[in-house]
Amino acid sequence: MEASANERPDFGKMGYGCKHYKRRCKIRAPCCNEVFDCRHCHNEATNLLSNHFDRHELVRFEVKQVICSVCDTEQPVARVCTNCGVNMGEYFCEVCKFYDDDIDKGQFHCSDCGICRVGGRENYFHCKKCGSCYALGLRNNHTCVENSMRHHCPICYEYLFDSLKETAVMKCGHTMHYECYYEMIKREKYCCPICSKSVTDMSRTWKRIDQEIEATIMPEDYRHRKVWILCNDCNDTTEVFFHIIGQKCSHCNSYNTRTIAPPVLPQ
């Protein structure tokens, strides 16, 4: 007796799909009526169009039809093919119209985010103020920024909320891709591109600058000159002695400062 599609090894999981997902179906894009392996394939294809007005992104929730990769049967969204009975995705989310055979990712649907996440539900919590799921290690251990994930990465400008890449949450609460974060650090840029606060412990660097300033005597004309500074780390405004190497915040000892105009005193 001939084996069913689910029993044939060549129809097993991880045998179909694209570079984004392994799955046994394709989707018909409701926006343009074209067939693609997944929504990311659709978005990449339309972004390459020379006509700006034809560029658009697929809304995952609007997908109504899928095509089984095993028997080519087009049908309404469902986990199992109505024709050959193959399971079109080991993980299936009816809300997101999402299929994925690689269940080792630990996919789960977050109703607060409104989309599917990876990494295992038990390893994440949803921060309602930040508006996204974060690793458990950040629970009560991060600075909340309202809707911190609903913006573009400040380095590569890809939208973060539903990006496939891992995201870093910095000390200031702002977010960016991990790979962009480490590229920034590798280039010795240690300030958040959004708010300019230090993203790592800079205490050793501040001590080194202290030593450099102590060893560098300013010319007599500048030795007693003062300037007003704003500290990017603690937001304090102070008047300090000017030095060519840097100005130190007298409140938090940070050199992550910038000179500003003197404050206007009330009459």
Side-chain angles (χ1 to χ4, degrees), residues 14-220:
M14 308 299 286
Y16 296 87
C18 59
K19 65 180 181 180
H20 305 107
Y21 303 113
K22 295 300 180 184
R23 59 212 292 185
R24 283 159 284 184
C25 68
K26 298 180 181 181
I27 60 175
R28 184 172 293 280
C31 43
C32 55
N33 206 37
E34 299 291 334
V35 175
F36 294 90
D37 284 300
C38 74
R39 68 183 182 89
H40 297 291
C41 290
H42 167 278
N43 294 344
E44 289 176 1
T46 56
N47 284 336
L48 293 174
L49 294 174
S50 57
N51 187 343
H52 174 77
F53 296 101
D54 288 336
R55 297 177 189 173
H56 60 280
E57 293 197 349
L58 187 152
V59 179
R60 71 188 83 194
F61 311 108
E62 295 179 357
V63 173
K64 297 289 190 283
Q65 296 291 115
V66 296
I67 298 92
C68 175
S69 299
V70 176
C71 68
D72 292 327
T73 300
E74 185 164 348
Q75 59 204 279
V77 171
R79 179 192 292 271
V80 177
C81 175
T82 56
N83 181 55
C84 69
V86 73
N87 193 358
M88 293 186 285
E90 292 295 311
Y91 175 84
F92 169 67
C93 177
E94 190 173 7
V95 177
C96 295
K97 314 300 191 289
F98 175 54
Y99 301 79
D100 197 352
D101 271 346
D102 188 6
I103 57 175
D104 290 340
K105 295 177 184 177
Q107 302 94 328
F108 64 97
H109 181 84
C110 174
S111 56
D112 289 316
C113 285
I115 61 174
C116 290
R117 298 292 190 188
V118 298
R121 188 185 301 274
E122 69 280 5
N123 298 317
Y124 288 83
F125 75 100
H126 184 88
C127 178
K128 291 191 179 294
K129 182 171 183 179
C130 294
S132 186
C133 288
Y134 285 162
L136 285 179
L138 290 173
R139 189 193 291 272
N140 302 321
N141 190 33
H142 72 283
T143 301
C144 283
V145 175
E146 190 169 358
N147 293 324
S148 63
M149 291 284 287
R150 295 181 184 270
H151 69 90
H152 296 81
C153 174
I155 301 297
C156 71
Y157 212 64
E158 179 184 337
Y159 192 59
L160 288 172
F161 185 70
D162 56 1
S163 173
L164 294 177
K165 301 174 186 175
E166 195 171 358
T167 304
V169 182
M170 294 175 283
K171 288 172 57 179
C172 56
H174 291 120
T175 54
M176 62 194 300
H177 288 130
Y178 259 118
E179 60 184 43
C180 295
Y181 173 82
Y182 285 116
E183 183 66 24
M184 182 181 75
I185 297 298
K186 188 169 70 174
R187 295 175 182 270
E188 299 184 349
K189 305 294 184 183
Y190 303 114
C191 297
C192 170
I194 299 173
C195 68
S196 297
K197 291 186 184 297
S198 299
V199 298
T200 61
D201 181 6
M202 300 293 290
S203 55
R204 294 180 62 181
T205 302
W206 302 156
K207 288 180 181 179
R208 177 178 56 79
I209 295 177
D210 280 341
Q211 295 170 354
E212 291 181 10
I213 287 178
E214 188 176 350
T216 306
I217 300 175
M218 292 290 289
E220 183 64 32

